[in-house]
Amino acid sequence: MTTSESVWTCPFRHDEALEFDPFLARLRSEPPVTRIPMPRRNGTGDSVAPGADGPEGPGRAGAGAAGEAGLGGSGPGGAAAPGARGASGAGIPVSSGAPAGAGGSAGPGGPAADTAWLVTRHEHVRAVTSDPRFSRAALIGRDLPSVTPDLVDHAESINLMDPPAHSRLRGLVAAAFGDRQVEELRPRTRRTVGALLDAMADHGSPADVSDWLAAPLPLNTVFELLDVPEPDRAPLRRWATAMMAPGTPDGAAAAEGKAGLRAYFAELTAARRRHPGSDLLSALAAVREDGELLDAREVAVMGMLLLVTGHNTSAHQISNIVYTLLTHPEQLARLRARPELLPAAIEELLRFIPYRQGVGIPRQATEDVELAGVTIRAGETVHVSYLAANRDELVYDRPDELDLERKDAPAHLTFGHGTHHCLGARLARMELQVAIGALLERFPALRLAVPAEEVRWNTGSIWRFPLALPVAW
């Protein structure tokens, strides 16, 4: 099969713990740039059936570790985030047999009305995400093929900006997440983790790692960075949760969450300009360019995105990493015997764990681009799969194996790449290192308190994590 002959049915649904997506696994044997059918964000597409599951449980919806690379919010048509299984029921792609141009055209010689390009190889994912001819800003307000729910499609949102506007705003925020700033947070993070583990120990065995450690640690960190008042934190978490869950078919809860966060941070930005503090939002609110303050809408949307993306994947990944280690006892024993492996082990775990379903924010080609022998036409939608790139056998030896002592492996793409590489990657790494290291040191006999097959997993949004992770010691 070639990319010009047929398209694939795109299920993007797999509920078996952290099993790697069978669809993406199958695509690894296909051309690296593949045309696939997807629904449009207004729900007109019929390639992927809406998921039947309810909203996700604990409010961990965004991406400290995915950051700009993977933020989406639901809205009309958002219920299509998890797709249906393939015809076999196993989530394996089936060739549609239809010509790639069937079903309408986006323009002369254009693709099918509800198809998009999917890029899966490490080399080509890096190429797309660093090539200015593939635009995020061009997506704003467009109805386009997409698996994830609606984007946070404010023009002021950094995750939908292109350079130079993106470079300007990113430069203002990046200073808060540099090596020095993150290392200054490490002692405070250690104290926070110590207090959380003390409380977990006082509660006694068994205890839920999600509740006692994974959820509160990143959330507390981002609330402190933004200096969000304590009484406001619960509703903000609820709104952030609603944004990423499919919810009701009309997306009312997601729209309410998005509007609530936008209004809250607009008000908080105005308050910080009147009475600035030492927090990150106050610093952004006080920035001047050419003598003028930053647009208040930019500051408010940045605060909104930092909240949604600044803590959630760290929360997901703490639980995912604990589950993975406890279900790979040989690797866990290796890490316990050599705790100095921890930083490299975290990187391998981030590469190995499929932290989401489907693909994230797409891009639009602004001109014809040749990629891997395929011509992507101007105006066509292009998705990249960081998950598939992280399992590329041309780059990683034994890509489907977890190896905490993997040697000379190229950097994984869990934090994205290029222009929209995650701003909070350093912070996420530090939190994961501190949390996992302290947990293993504090509880040397840590184990799952239930059989692995009884752990319940989120199936109501694109993010993959255990709804609860009971452990004993």
Side-chain angles (χ1 to χ4, degrees):
M1 167 188 148
T2 68
T3 55
S4 62
E5 291 174 347
S6 60
V7 295
W8 290 95
T9 298
C10 180
F12 288 131
R13 178 66 177 266
H14 42 92
D15 296 334
E16 300 299 324
L18 291 176
E19 173 197 12
F20 189 70
D21 187 342
F23 170 71
L24 293 178
R26 180 69 180 87
L27 274 183
R28 281 164 26 191
S29 64
E30 297 298 324
V33 182
T34 308
R35 185 172 287 167
I36 58 174
M38 289 183 177
R40 290 190 179 271
R41 284 166 52 197
N42 67 6
T44 59
D46 57 6
S47 305
V48 183
D53 299 294
E56 70 179 75
R60 312 177 194 120
E68 296 179 77
L71 177 65
S74 69
R85 289 183 179 271
S88 67
I92 303 300
V94 180
S95 176
S96 69
S105 175
D114 295 306
T115 65
W117 294 105
L118 178 61
V119 180
T120 54
R121 290 289 182 184
H122 196 280
E123 172 189 357
H124 304 112
V125 168
R126 287 170 58 93
V128 168
T129 52
S130 57
D131 190 328
R133 294 175 295 178
F134 295 104
S135 168
R136 285 258 184 99
L139 303 173
I140 296 173
R142 292 190 62 232
D143 178 29
L144 60 136
S146 179
V147 169
T148 56
D150 281 354
L151 309 172
V152 181
D153 53 359
H154 307 297
E156 304 87 2
S157 174
I158 191 173
N159 65 344
L160 291 182
M161 287 182 178
D162 294 333
H166 175 273
S167 305
R168 174 186 64 85
L169 191 55
R170 183 183 176 97
L172 297 174
V173 182
F177 297 98
D179 287 335
R180 179 178 62 81
Q181 289 77 8
V182 168
E183 285 308 306
E184 288 176 354
L185 288 172
R186 192 181 290 266
R188 184 193 307 175
T189 303
R190 286 198 182 105
R191 290 192 295 271
T192 301
V193 169
L196 292 171
L197 296 182
D198 286 344
M200 180 169 143
D202 290 343
H203 171 274
S205 177
D208 180 2
V209 164
S210 299
D211 282 346
W212 290 99
L213 177 63
L217 172 61
L219 189 63
N220 289 344
T221 299
V222 74
F223 280 150
E224 289 180 11
L225 284 172
L226 298 173
D227 193 21
V228 173
E230 184 66 39
D232 298 344
R233 297 181 179 188
L236 290 180
R237 179 173 176 173
R238 287 196 299 270
W239 285 333
T241 301
M243 280 181 56
M244 290 301 292
T248 56
D250 65 358
E256 179 184 355
K258 186 189 297 186
L261 287 173
R262 178 75 182 258
Y264 177 85
F265 278 103
E267 182 177 341
L268 190 60
T269 297
R272 295 292 159 79
R273 281 188 166 163
R274 293 191 300 268
H275 306 287
S278 58
D279 59 284
L280 179 56
L281 195 68
S282 291
L284 290 173
V287 166
R288 291 182 179 271
E289 289 189 318
D290 299 325
E292 299 292 329
L293 290 170
L294 283 182
D295 189 311
R297 292 171 299 178
E298 286 185 332
V299 179
V301 171
M302 178 59 69
M304 173 182 171
L305 290 175
L306 288 172
L307 172 65
V308 175
T309 67
H311 76 277
N312 292 302
T313 293
S314 292
H316 298 328
Q317 293 289 51
I318 290 171
S319 292
N320 287 341
I321 286 172
V322 173
Y323 172 86
T324 301
L325 287 173
L326 296 183
T327 53
H328 290 77
E330 292 182 1
Q331 297 296 318
L332 176 58
R334 184 179 301 180
L335 182 57
R336 287 195 180 281
R338 298 182 58 197
E340 69 275 10
L341 290 175
L342 182 63
I346 293 296
E347 298 306 308
E348 170 67 357
L349 286 155
L350 289 171
R351 180 201 70 82
F352 176 79
I353 293 170
Y355 64 95
R356 63 173 298 147
Q357 301 184 95
V359 289
I361 299 175
R363 291 164 173 80
Q364 179 180 314
T366 58
E367 60 182 82
D368 291 359
V369 181
E370 291 287 330
L371 185 67
V374 171
T375 300
I376 298 173
R377 301 293 183 188
E380 293 183 352
T381 301
V382 182
H383 289 266
V384 300
S385 174
Y386 297 121
L387 301 183
N390 281 345
R391 299 288 186 103
D392 188 346
E393 68 274 7
L394 300 180
V395 173
Y396 302 101
D397 182 39
R398 300 168 288 109
D400 295 323
E401 294 182 23
L402 178 67
D403 181 359
L404 300 189
E405 295 185 274
R406 187 177 292 276
K407 304 296 184 184
D408 302 321
H412 61 76
L413 299 180
T414 299
F415 293 112
H417 181 72
T419 303
H420 290 278
H421 181 267
C422 173
L423 272 168
R426 292 183 182 89
L427 179 61
R429 284 184 165 104
M430 184 273 288
E431 288 181 327
L432 292 172
Q433 291 170 12
V434 172
I436 300 302
L439 180 69
L440 297 181
E441 181 180 2
R442 182 68 177 271
F443 301 105
L446 194 71
R447 63 189 184 279
L448 288 178
V450 298
E453 59 271 18
E454 293 183 13
V455 174
R456 297 181 301 111
W457 293 85
N458 170 58
T459 58
S461 76
I462 60 176
W463 304 110
R464 303 186 70 180
F465 59 90
L467 296 175
L469 188 62
V471 297
W473 56 88

